[in-house]
Amino acid sequence: MIEIDKKDCKKLLTRRMLLAVVSSITLQFFLVCCLILFTNLSTDYVHWLQNTWRTVISLRMWIYLGILAAVISLQGVFCSKIYLHNPPYYKSRFAKLCATLTVQNLSLKASYIVMGGILTWSHLSLKGGMYSSLTADCSIIYGTCLVEEYYFLLFSGLWSGLYFSVKTNDSMKYFRFPIITQFKFFRLRQGIYAMLPNLMISSMWSAVYYMTIYYFLGSYCRAALLSMISIQTEVEPLDNMSRLLNLTLILHLWLHQFIFILTISSTYLLFEIYLTEWISFKFSSSGVYNGDASELTLIEALAMDKIPIIQHLGYLDLVTLAQKEKMRRGILFTLSQPGGHPYNWNCIVQKCIDLLKKFSSDFNAISMKPQEQQFCYSTNVLTTRIAPVRPAQKEHIYHMRKLVPDVTPVPSIEVDTKEAPYSGMFIQKFIKQKREAFVAYLLSKPLINYIFGEQDDNKIRYVLLNGQLVIWAAEAISSLSVFSLSEDSYGVVQKDVPNIINTLLSVKQVLDKLQKSAVLARKIQTDDKLTKEICTSLRSAIKRSLYRIITNFEPYVNDLSLESLTIEQLQSFLNYKE
């Protein structure tokens, strides 16, 4: 794996993150200006616009902008932690709970709470009016009285951060790339339009939950606050049903919940837009890896599985090259000089096939039953136990006839010294078997298995996180195979076409088996939209890739050196029945 500091990818990612932070600050400044314009609404249009302009150019506004920039920059740091590392795999519910209670995750949750409080406090300070201060002059009695609505709204900001941090899972971010390349503004507008209904409903439920909690616990909060500061109250408490159902207060509460969730979601959206923007990688001029080069090549980008966003950008550039850029395909199809070998093509097709095979093997491991795994384990242990005791007597070694007959060794004292390590290995394997049997017995209990057992649903979802890479790899190698018929003058691709067909067929068989399995059926019943979308896209992409190859290579099917079983599987594609 190529280190991030060794290549130009660190500079690329830093620049894109900085642009995302600046764009997010600009967007939030625009949203705040719109909020001020909305809250100062008046029939006197001249006075309305003057008040809005004075608020925008005031010192409070620029202080707020500085605080907002610091908050969004902090969120950018957390986004970099999420998007630049592979998502963790939680084997069980207990492992997920332990991951939730780590210092890093708790710090992230705490930052959301602080950000919610800061944003609400800034909005209340900028808007002015009756909810802009904690205290006010009493109208009936002499002195200073508590404005309970202020800290009610201020605490709602903290609650919005807590609600958002509990509801979302930041460690399992999925890279969503656009199907059609668009400008950033259009992607931002489309993304905000798409998520507005969900954000409005989510903020509404957050406001309902907060009002319910305050109705039962508001008296304790008020008593604690009055005990710390010497102020008094002259109106009815806010935790009363008649005052809590104030339409103006409910509107302000919902608006602050919505603004916070929109701020967080739009920041993530901008990071996604900038990080998933297509970039053109270069090929190595010599065709081999050059450790001193400072520029990241396409082959190196495809190998960066430890930095998933770079690997995604590499496969995105590969599928773009394969389908749209004839000049770069010509570079891929050329031979290296000196040597005359297709280094670039060999590396690329090997990376794609390895990715497809790993995807198939991961799903085969998921679909394998625990009894089969236990049987395979027992067979391997039995083989290792029997092999040292009775070695196989063969007449020929390495296809050569023995000229010296085997002589039975004479027993000596050294036999005991050689059996001692084997006895130690036997004891270790025996203890390991007993431990695994005890763990299997514990996991057979429903409650223990619910907490500590491994979930097939999580395994499926985790493997499907690389579904986009699999789609691009299949599309790229199939498109390159088809274009090689007219553009590959050296014939560097034709030798790999049988391997490509066999690999795509194995992925198709795995997806068909998964589609019919009870695990995925149960997953679909849970209405997991992301899992269904990825599975549907995967099956469509694999079938499309196979159709693309078979349709164009149909006159040469008998010349591809395919096995008879493979040709039988291709008949449904040749007859267009898939």
Side-chain angles (χ1 to χ4, degrees):
M1 201 275 292
I2 303 167
E3 296 179 358
I4 189 171
D5 293 331
K6 191 175 181 179
K7 294 295 177 181
D8 202 33
C9 58
K10 182 178 181 181
K11 180 180 178 181
L12 169 68
L13 296 177
T14 303
R15 182 176 66 251
R16 291 192 172 191
M17 290 180 186
L18 184 60
L19 289 174
V21 170
V22 173
S23 301
S24 181
I25 294 173
T26 305
L27 177 62
Q28 301 310 321
F29 179 74
F30 173 75
L31 292 177
V32 171
C33 292
C34 292
L35 178 64
I36 296 173
L37 189 67
F38 174 73
T39 53
N40 292 331
L41 186 62
S42 175
T43 55
D44 188 355
Y45 300 109
V46 177
H47 183 69
W48 175 32
L49 295 176
Q50 287 179 351
N51 287 340
T52 304
W53 176 251
R54 280 196 296 265
T55 306
V56 169
I57 64 174
S58 64
L59 180 62
R60 289 187 305 169
M61 185 66 181
W62 292 104
I63 293 175
Y64 164 74
L65 186 61
I67 297 174
L68 183 64
V71 169
I72 295 178
S73 301
L74 179 63
Q75 189 181 2
V77 174
F78 291 124
C79 285
S80 64
K81 299 292 183 181
I82 295 170
Y83 282 109
L84 300 186
H85 297 84
N86 283 324
Y89 171 60
Y90 302 120
K91 185 177 181 180
S92 62
R93 292 179 174 88
F94 181 75
K96 186 181 295 186
L97 177 62
C98 293
T100 305
L101 300 178
T102 57
V103 177
Q104 180 179 356
N105 193 63
L106 291 177
S107 301
L108 178 61
K109 305 296 185 185
S111 68
Y112 283 135
I113 298 174
V114 173
M115 288 163 60
I118 291 176
L119 288 176
T120 305
W121 168 76
S122 302
H123 291 158
L124 291 175
S125 301
L126 285 174
K127 286 189 301 181
M130 56 185 300
Y131 299 148
S132 61
S133 177
L134 180 63
T135 60
D137 295 333
C138 300
S139 58
I140 301 177
I141 60 178
Y142 178 77
T144 304
C145 292
L146 175 68
V147 180
E148 194 171 355
E149 290 83 355
Y150 176 81
Y151 81 83
F152 172 80
L153 295 175
L154 185 62
F155 285 171
S156 71
L158 303 176
W159 163 257
S160 62
L162 178 63
Y163 179 80
F164 183 84
S165 63
V166 171
K167 190 177 180 181
T168 57
N169 185 10
D170 298 297
S171 61
M172 297 296 288
K173 289 295 181 182
Y174 179 75
F175 294 108
R176 293 185 178 272
F177 286 78
I179 299 176
I180 301 174
T181 304
Q182 295 177 324
F183 292 106
K184 298 183 184 67
F185 174 76
F186 294 109
R187 287 190 62 187
L188 177 63
R189 185 183 63 181
Q190 182 180 2
I192 291 179
Y193 285 167
M195 66 183 180
L196 271 180
N198 292 331
L199 295 184
M200 294 177 68
I201 295 175
S202 180
S203 58
M204 180 187 68
W205 282 111
S206 176
V208 170
Y209 293 148
Y210 179 71
M211 292 177 63
T212 304
I213 293 174
Y214 193 85
Y215 177 76
F216 292 101
L217 302 179
S219 58
Y220 300 101
C221 298
R222 184 176 58 256
L225 184 62
L226 291 176
S227 63
M228 290 186 293
I229 54 179
S230 57
I231 54 178
Q232 50 190 341
T233 59
E234 63 174 0
V235 295
E236 193 175 359
L238 192 59
D239 55 344
N240 191 292
M241 186 63 69
S242 59
R243 289 203 61 202
L244 196 60
L245 294 179
N246 185 1
L247 185 59
T248 304
L249 184 64
I250 293 175
L251 180 61
H252 278 80
L253 174 62
W254 173 81
L255 188 60
H256 287 100
Q257 302 290 310
F258 176 75
I259 289 174
F260 172 78
I261 298 179
L262 179 62
T263 300
I264 301 295
S265 301
S266 60
T267 302
Y268 278 117
L269 178 61
L270 282 168
F271 267 81
E272 187 176 278
I273 291 173
Y274 276 94
L275 288 177
T276 58
E277 184 183 6
W278 171 74
I279 181 174
S280 176
F281 293 96
K282 295 184 179 298
F283 290 107
S284 179
S285 58
S286 61
V288 295
Y289 170 67
N290 185 8
D292 298 331
S294 60
E295 191 171 7
L296 192 66
T297 63
L298 178 60
I299 298 172
E300 294 166 349
L302 298 180
M304 283 192 166
D305 54 344
K306 301 299 182 183
I307 310 176
I309 184 62
I310 294 294
Q311 191 179 28
H312 278 72
L313 290 175
Y315 277 98
L316 175 60
D317 183 46
L318 178 62
V319 73
T320 305
L321 172 154
Q323 296 179 351
K324 300 179 181 180
E325 299 184 353
K326 182 178 180 180
M327 185 178 297
R328 295 180 68 197
R329 286 198 304 268
I331 299 175
L332 182 62
F333 293 150
T334 56
L335 302 178
S336 63
Q337 297 296 332
H341 298 287
Y343 288 109
N344 288 322
W345 166 254
N346 288 342
C347 292
I348 285 177
V349 73
Q350 190 62 41
K351 293 294 181 186
C352 294
I353 290 178
D354 288 345
L355 178 68
L356 295 174
K357 288 183 177 179
K358 183 179 182 301
F359 184 80
S360 301
S361 62
D362 289 342
F363 269 120
N364 284 327
I366 293 174
S367 61
M368 182 182 293
K369 297 180 181 179
Q371 291 83 1
E372 296 176 356
Q373 294 177 353
Q374 183 68 24
F375 176 75
C376 294
Y377 173 77
S378 302
T379 305
N380 294 333
V381 172
L382 184 61
T383 305
T384 54
R385 290 176 57 184
I386 293 177
V389 179
R390 294 188 180 183
Q393 301 294 330
K394 294 183 179 179
E395 184 180 357
H396 303 282
I397 298 178
Y398 302 113
H399 303 286
M400 298 177 65
R401 186 167 59 89
K402 290 184 180 180
L403 300 179
V404 181
D406 293 333
V407 179
T408 305
V410 180
S412 61
I413 304 176
E414 296 179 359
V415 176
D416 296 332
T417 60
K418 291 181 179 179
E419 288 182 357
Y422 171 71
S423 301
M425 292 176 60
F426 175 75
I427 294 174
Q428 291 178 1
K429 291 176 181 178
F430 178 78
I431 295 174
K432 184 178 179 181
Q433 281 185 333
K434 292 298 181 182
R435 184 176 68 247
E436 291 181 353
F438 179 70
V439 171
Y441 169 75
L442 291 178
L443 292 178
S444 63
K445 305 301 179 182
L447 181 59
I448 297 178
N449 185 52
Y450 180 81
I451 299 175
F452 298 98
E454 188 172 7
Q455 299 174 279
D456 290 335
D457 295 353
N458 290 341
K459 294 167 66 176
I460 290 177
R461 185 179 179 87
Y462 185 77
V463 174
L464 285 176
L465 288 177
N466 286 329
Q468 185 65 75
L469 295 180
V470 175
I471 292 173
W472 283 337
E475 295 276 1
I477 57 178
S478 63
S479 299
L480 289 171
S481 300
V482 170
F483 281 112
S484 69
L485 290 173
S486 58
E487 300 177 8
D488 182 12
S489 59
Y490 298 98
V492 301
V493 177
Q494 276 71 32
K495 63 182 178 60
D496 295 312
V497 172
N499 192 14
I500 292 172
I501 293 176
N502 290 326
T503 305
L504 291 175
L505 282 176
S506 64
V507 176
K508 178 186 176 298
Q509 292 172 0
V510 168
L511 291 175
D512 291 342
K513 185 192 304 181
L514 182 67
Q515 190 73 18
K516 299 175 183 178
S517 65
V519 176
L520 188 62
R522 186 170 61 251
K523 193 69 178 174
I524 291 178
Q525 288 176 1
T526 60
D527 197 21
D528 192 336
K529 184 179 179 181
L530 179 61
T531 302
K532 292 189 291 186
E533 286 180 355
I534 297 176
C535 284
T536 304
S537 301
L538 274 171
R539 298 185 77 236
S540 301
I542 297 299
K543 288 184 179 181
R544 185 166 56 249
S545 300
L546 283 170
Y547 268 119
R548 183 182 293 121
I549 295 177
I550 299 305
T551 302
N552 289 273
F553 280 85
E554 183 176 0
Y556 317 104
V557 170
N558 295 327
D559 300 327
L560 293 176
S561 300
L562 297 173
E563 297 180 357
S564 58
L565 181 60
T566 303
I567 296 178
E568 290 179 5
Q569 294 174 352
L570 294 179
Q571 286 300 323
S572 57
F573 290 94
L574 291 172
N575 298 328
Y576 299 96
K577 292 183 178 180
E578 272 292 336

